[in-house]
Amino acid sequence: MNATSLGLPERPRATRVRHVAVEDLVAQRPDTGFPMKGFQPGHADIVDWIFKITHKIWAERAVGTIHDTYDHACPVYAGADFSRGAEEVVAGTLATLSAFDRDSRFLNVAWSEDADGFYTSHLGASTVTHIGPNAWGPATGRRARFLTCADCVSRDGRIHTEWLIRDNGAAVTGLGFDIHEVAERLARADAAAGRKPWFIGLPRRAYGQANPGPLDRPEGPGIEDRLAHLLHDVFNRRRIDALARLYAENVHVHMAGGREIMGRQALGDFWISFLAAFPDAAFSLDHFCWSEETDGVILAVRWGIRAHHRGHGPWGAPTGRPVYVLGMSHYRLDEAARIVEEWTLFDELAILRQTKAPG
């Protein structure tokens, strides 16, 4: 199963990262003719570029190269935080390196190109040791493993917009902290400092008392349309049974919070528990991109959910507080165009910071 058979457009082949050793990814690659107008020479394609600048910043600790690869006013949107500009990216990177001895590897990179430049969604796995104090508490010396995903818009050799998710639910609990206590403390600090969420708006599933209808776009045979309709049906129409349209029965899902979910039935159970906690949840699919990788096509979506915390579930007793969930999902397809592996990230600490906000 290749990309064109899934209704995806033809485009130049880019570097593949899945199951490729870091040493091979760091190595110089020959010029493939991939169109990289405005980017520094020496990069084979956009995937090669995003990998190498990330590796240089984090693995080689060349933190100052952020000034060379980020726009000076680049906005960065995270689960509950917002920053603007390369200098704030530098500060955040130094804070993370001070708190964690970190080893990371790329899992997937999906990408697209349009008039705004290149869009990349790069998913990675990190194993860290907590060696210094941070906002969660003093160094514990413990180790934790978690996933991160960064979606970036890049043009002329610089990142101009970034959305970033670190699975803080898995990280905080893995390091031995009580995530509810940490979230409550951070929520009080947010209120004391007058920090407001970067997102606005309340959920609107349907006008008046109308039932949520089908997605307002044609459903063609291509995989992008099929995935968009499936996600709308599952989350906005509460048709959990729609998972069977694309998911293999034995799908393996790496879910936020470090959860490992095996099977389509168990995945449906998880989303039922999520929607029970946020019963007025309104879902939006905000970006789609893809890649052809070593073991199948990878689809990647950035999405958002607006809701009120009005039900019981993994995030505690209902508080009625409004919540925004920034999410990113990667899907690996098999030869039958079924989803056989999924990585879905959202920041549970960010959710709890909102549900525990004073007042």
Side-chain angles (χ1 to χ4, degrees):
M1 181 67 65
N2 58 30
T4 53
S5 67
L6 293 168
L8 298 167
E10 292 188 11
R11 65 184 189 186
R13 176 172 171 170
T15 298
R16 297 181 176 184
V17 303
R18 285 184 57 74
H19 311 302
V20 179
V22 170
E23 295 76 14
D24 293 332
L25 291 172
V26 170
Q28 186 71 29
R29 294 182 176 276
D31 185 354
T32 61
F34 192 98
M36 294 282 287
K37 180 182 177 181
F39 285 75
Q40 305 95 320
H43 296 97
D45 50 60
I46 186 60
V47 175
D48 186 48
W49 182 79
I50 200 71
F51 169 80
K52 284 178 177 170
I53 68 168
T54 304
H55 182 82
K56 195 169 190 66
I57 291 166
W58 289 99
E60 299 180 9
R61 300 188 172 194
V63 180
T65 59
I66 288 170
H67 288 292
D68 303 320
T69 52
Y70 277 74
D71 182 73
H72 73 283
C74 175
V76 179
Y77 303 93
D81 296 299
F82 171 81
S83 66
R84 181 177 291 280
E87 190 65 16
E88 291 199 36
V89 177
V90 169
T93 304
L94 290 171
T96 300
L97 289 173
S98 174
F100 300 112
D101 180 12
R102 170 174 167 166
D103 177 59
S104 300
R105 61 187 178 91
F106 270 40
L107 299 178
N108 307 323
V109 181
W111 64 279
S112 62
E113 184 182 9
D114 59 24
D116 292 328
F118 290 103
Y119 190 105
T120 53
S121 180
H122 59 276
L123 175 75
S126 295
T127 301
V128 303
T129 303
H130 194 199
I131 59 173
N134 67 344
W136 305 340
T140 63
R142 296 184 62 165
R143 291 173 64 79
R145 184 184 183 277
F146 54 86
L147 300 178
T148 60
C149 194
D151 282 25
C152 301
V153 176
S154 305
R155 63 179 180 272
D156 299 325
R158 293 181 184 271
I159 296 171
H160 287 258
T161 309
E162 181 173 7
W163 295 264
L164 176 64
I165 300 178
R166 176 173 62 191
D167 187 356
N168 284 325
V172 169
T173 55
L175 295 175
F177 294 106
D178 182 322
I179 191 172
H180 290 272
E181 187 278 327
V182 172
E184 189 167 354
R185 179 158 39 82
L186 293 178
R188 290 197 302 267
D190 290 339
R195 284 190 292 267
K196 300 293 185 182
W198 56 263
F199 38 83
I200 59 173
L202 296 176
R204 174 175 285 178
R205 293 187 58 221
Y207 292 97
Q209 299 300 311
N211 293 325
L215 185 63
D216 187 20
R217 72 184 256 186
E219 183 172 7
I223 194 65
E224 179 178 359
D225 283 338
R226 293 174 62 198
L227 181 62
H229 278 266
L230 181 147
L231 294 173
H232 174 78
D233 287 348
V234 169
F235 292 105
N236 290 329
R237 304 183 74 196
R238 312 312 196 231
R239 291 296 305 268
I240 311 303
D241 60 320
L243 292 171
R245 299 207 302 254
L246 274 181
Y247 281 82
E249 187 174 355
N250 63 345
V251 63
H252 182 186
V253 181
H254 314 276
M255 182 60 71
R259 301 171 177 88
E260 296 293 332
I261 298 176
M262 304 302 297
R264 190 171 64 215
Q265 178 71 32
L267 177 61
D269 292 343
F270 175 81
W271 287 124
I272 286 172
S273 71
F274 182 98
L275 292 169
F278 304 104
D280 64 343
F283 173 92
S284 65
L285 195 165
D286 300 321
H287 194 271
F288 169 89
C289 57
W290 57 278
S291 64
E292 285 190 283
E293 267 293 351
T294 54
D295 55 354
V297 173
I298 298 291
L299 311 179
V301 297
R302 174 170 53 83
W303 49 268
I305 287 178
R306 285 178 166 82
H308 288 88
H309 184 215
R310 291 175 174 161
H312 293 272
W315 303 282
T319 63
R321 302 293 295 174
V323 168
Y324 176 78
V325 182
L326 173 65
M328 297 174 186
S329 298
H330 282 214
Y331 310 92
R332 183 171 65 85
L333 305 182
D334 65 6
E335 287 296 314
R338 305 282 286 178
I339 297 171
V340 292
E341 189 169 13
E342 174 183 342
W343 300 258
T344 283
L345 298 189
F346 53 84
D347 184 347
E348 292 183 285
L349 184 61
I351 292 175
L352 291 169
R353 280 171 66 180
Q354 296 170 75
T355 62
K356 296 179 183 296

